[in-house]
Amino acid sequence: MFNRETYQQRRAALVRQTGKGLLVLPGNGDSPSNYTDNILPFRQDSSFLYFFGLDLPDLVGVIDLESGEATLYGDDPGLDAIVWTGPLPTLAAQADGVGVTHSAPLSQLPDRLRTARQTGRTLHLLPQYRPQNRIRLADWLGINLREVDVLTSPDVTRAVIQLRAVKSLEEIAEIENALAITKQMHLTAMRMAQPGVTEQSIAGAIEGLAWAHGRRQSYAPILSKRGEVLHNHHHDNTLVAGDLLLNDSGAESPLHYASDITRTIPVGGRFNDRQRAIYQTVLDSQLAAIAALKPGVPYLDIYELSARVLIEGLKPLGLFKGDTDEIIHSGAFALIFPHGLGHMLGLDVHDMEALNEDWVGYGEGYQRSHDFGRKSLRLARPVQAGWVVTVEPGIYFIPTLIDRWQAEDKFTHLINYARFADFRDFGGVRIEDDILITSDGARVLGDPIAKSIAEVEACVGH
Ligand code: GLY
Ligand code: MN
Ligand code: MN
């Protein structure tokens, strides 16, 4: 945990920004896998971690938004729990560690909540993404499941988003700590990327590396030579000379801050000419986007800039033609770049998206598009100093998408489909880094991880 003052300051900042009532913040419980006692690895709720720091199941935090008083509800470990799981800290000791002076058994929570409602106090909830917590809240409050969502408080949720968005120095140190392991994971994948090696063995090696450092991966890795399948969690191919291996993987820090890195690797250590051209275009796009990031610049503009660099790089290859502005604004570019440019990063890899993706990334004059490609942009509003965001452009050749658009004669004055036929088997390239917005620009977090063509080729075993 951070020092108790960190959690006290975070709660005090929330109280300053909000008005009346009580915020009820359930931590997560254990989740069964295939039967009750076979549980999935425990992951605490990120907002609970942010305000209460405690990494154990079945705790609930309540913050009185008027008095500022916080209470931790939970149960002291009984003898049975100690026999089966070993010694555990008392509830009071846990509360004290995060600067909370009031603690009480969970059985007292329903009375507190019902009394608060009866005396006209507003109960605030953040959006609930786990059915288990929704059911527990309904039970404690004596309401039905649908009514739980009615208690979601837009104002308090937006205040939480504003606080969690700006990272302190100790949070940035956590993300960089996660990146240190992540660098080893990526270098390991590069070293192993040889003909005859299975994707699964590389996926296993990088997961093992995280585990060996006591870490979990921050999301299920996307590690495949079929990089054009955007969320490809299958690792069932064997690498062949000439393949490109896309590796999108990251680790959590000890306090559960995420990293999120993508590198694309030439199997055997040499990009061929076609791969070299596409890779360099993606790299140019990523570097241009990072260079343009500074406080006040809408992330939407950075997205369009990155798409522009991609299209300018593809024109000499004969894939696109005509006016670049039109290619961007018509949506034709989404044929090769169908996802957004990035997202915030923090306690969640897509930070705070459980709190409402559009409240995190849009608002204040930014309306999410419904267009193919553009609708996948998760972040559009102006970036602020202290935010950590990813920048992850890519170029993909998705045969089903190309065929569909061609059959529909989409954008035939902008897209040279005959040339796309030469790239059907290409796969995809993505390059992703984690970026801190500084007072006057942006900084790539962590030790640099091989990224230029020469650097990546040098890291692949020969
Ligand atoms: N790892 C998923 C993403 O890059 O957003
Ligand atoms: Mn990623
Ligand atoms: Mn990402």
Side-chain angles (χ1 to χ4, degrees):
M1 283 178 305
F2 294 125
N3 288 332
R4 56 168 63 77
E5 289 75 23
T6 292
Y7 302 102
Q8 286 168 327
Q9 284 161 11
R10 289 172 175 180
R11 294 190 297 264
L14 182 68
V15 169
R16 276 197 303 279
Q17 287 193 23
T18 49
K20 295 187 158 79
L22 302 178
L23 170 63
V24 185
L25 202 50
N28 283 334
D30 277 322
S31 292
S33 164
N34 50 329
Y35 64 92
T36 314
D37 283 346
N38 198 18
I39 53 175
L40 295 166
F42 176 69
R43 178 54 158 81
Q44 185 57 284
D45 172 73
S46 294
S47 290
F48 185 88
L49 273 180
Y50 185 80
F51 289 109
F52 287 92
L54 297 165
D55 200 9
L56 289 169
D58 299 324
L59 299 169
V60 181
V62 173
I63 303 175
D64 185 322
L65 298 174
E66 271 167 81
S67 70
E69 184 185 283
T71 310
L72 182 72
Y73 291 88
D75 289 318
D76 275 324
L79 191 58
D80 264 12
I82 291 168
V83 167
W84 287 96
T85 61
L88 290 165
T90 63
L91 185 68
Q94 290 183 60
D96 181 53
V98 291
V100 173
T101 45
H102 297 80
S103 60
L106 205 48
S107 60
Q108 290 184 15
L109 180 63
D111 262 2
R112 166 108 187 258
L113 299 183
R114 288 178 203 202
T115 307
R117 289 192 99 192
Q118 280 157 12
T119 56
R121 300 208 66 195
T122 308
L123 295 187
H124 302 279
L125 299 178
L126 302 180
Q128 300 298 313
Y129 58 96
R130 283 205 183 187
Q132 196 182 1
N133 280 346
R134 196 180 258 110
I135 292 167
R136 290 201 303 168
L137 283 162
D139 185 37
W140 293 330
L141 289 161
I143 60 179
N144 70 41
L145 284 176
R146 278 186 217 292
E147 286 176 283
V148 173
D149 293 334
V150 175
L151 298 179
T152 299
S153 168
D155 289 350
V156 175
T157 305
R158 285 180 198 278
V160 172
I161 290 170
Q162 202 175 325
L163 287 171
R164 281 182 54 187
V166 178
K167 272 60 182 184
S168 66
L169 292 179
E170 60 188 355
E171 291 181 290
I172 292 161
E174 282 289 310
I175 294 173
E176 294 206 289
N177 176 309
L179 281 164
I181 305 291
T182 305
K183 175 173 180 167
Q184 295 311 314
M185 289 160 61
H186 280 270
L187 294 181
T188 297
M190 288 178 193
R191 268 196 304 277
M192 290 179 72
Q194 293 299 324
V197 174
T198 62
E199 294 169 350
Q200 190 62 58
S201 65
I202 302 177
I206 65 172
E207 178 165 20
L209 222 153
W211 264 115
H213 289 83
R215 307 300 178 75
R216 293 243 303 276
Q217 292 172 288
S218 40
Y219 52 94
I222 300 161
L223 188 149
S224 175
K225 66 186 207 178
R226 298 269 49 105
E228 79 282 8
V229 180
L230 297 182
H231 275 177
N232 193 345
H233 297 303
H234 299 285
H235 315 296
D236 40 19
N237 296 302
T238 299
L239 302 181
V240 173
D243 285 340
L244 281 179
L245 177 66
L246 189 147
N247 174 20
D248 181 346
S249 54
E252 287 198 349
S253 74
L255 299 188
H256 301 291
Y257 285 81
S259 60
D260 183 8
I261 296 287
T262 307
R263 290 293 183 266
T264 307
I265 312 165
V267 171
R270 288 285 171 265
F271 289 99
N272 64 32
D273 289 346
R274 198 175 66 155
Q275 292 167 343
R276 190 173 289 265
I278 300 290
Y279 187 94
Q280 189 61 46
T281 296
V282 176
L283 182 56
D284 290 346
S285 168
Q286 201 230 18
L287 295 175
I290 294 169
L293 276 170
K294 62 178 180 192
V297 176
Y299 195 81
L300 175 64
D301 294 358
I302 305 289
Y303 166 69
E304 290 188 349
L305 168 69
S306 72
R308 184 174 302 278
V309 177
L310 295 179
I311 294 303
E312 292 294 341
L314 293 180
K315 276 184 170 175
L317 299 178
L319 289 156
F320 286 89
K321 56 193 177 185
D323 180 45
T324 300
D325 273 343
E326 192 185 350
I327 296 169
I328 302 299
H329 291 118
S330 65
F333 74 96
L335 181 60
I336 52 93
F337 181 34
H339 61 68
L341 182 64
H343 46 85
M344 289 204 211
L345 181 81
L347 282 162
D348 308 303
V349 65
H350 286 185
D351 206 24
M352 303 182 284
E353 285 185 0
L355 298 181
N356 187 318
E357 206 173 302
D358 285 353
W359 291 351
V360 173
Y362 285 78
E364 299 150 29
Y366 292 85
Q367 190 69 33
R368 193 155 184 166
S369 168
H370 296 293
D371 296 344
F372 177 77
R374 213 170 258 272
K375 70 179 176 191
S376 300
L377 184 64
R378 322 178 90 85
L379 180 60
R381 63 189 174 110
V383 301
Q384 296 173 20
W387 285 13
V388 176
V389 299
T390 67
V391 174
E392 47 181 304
I395 293 177
Y396 312 89
F397 293 89
I398 305 169
T400 314
L401 180 64
I402 297 167
D403 291 347
R404 176 76 64 89
W405 279 27
Q406 185 169 14
E408 293 174 358
D409 286 332
K410 281 186 86 145
F411 308 117
T412 47
H413 63 300
L414 302 172
I415 296 169
N416 185 357
Y417 288 105
R419 184 66 174 134
F420 268 82
D422 301 334
F423 285 80
R424 284 181 74 81
D425 61 341
F426 184 91
V429 172
R430 177 165 66 253
I431 304 173
E432 174 174 28
D433 282 305
D434 304 338
I435 317 291
L436 171 68
I437 310 300
T438 60
S439 59
D440 59 355
R443 173 167 82 80
V444 179
L445 290 176
D447 254 7
I449 301 172
K451 185 159 79 167
S452 71
I453 286 177
E455 286 166 348
V456 173
E457 286 186 343
C459 287
V460 182
H462 294 289

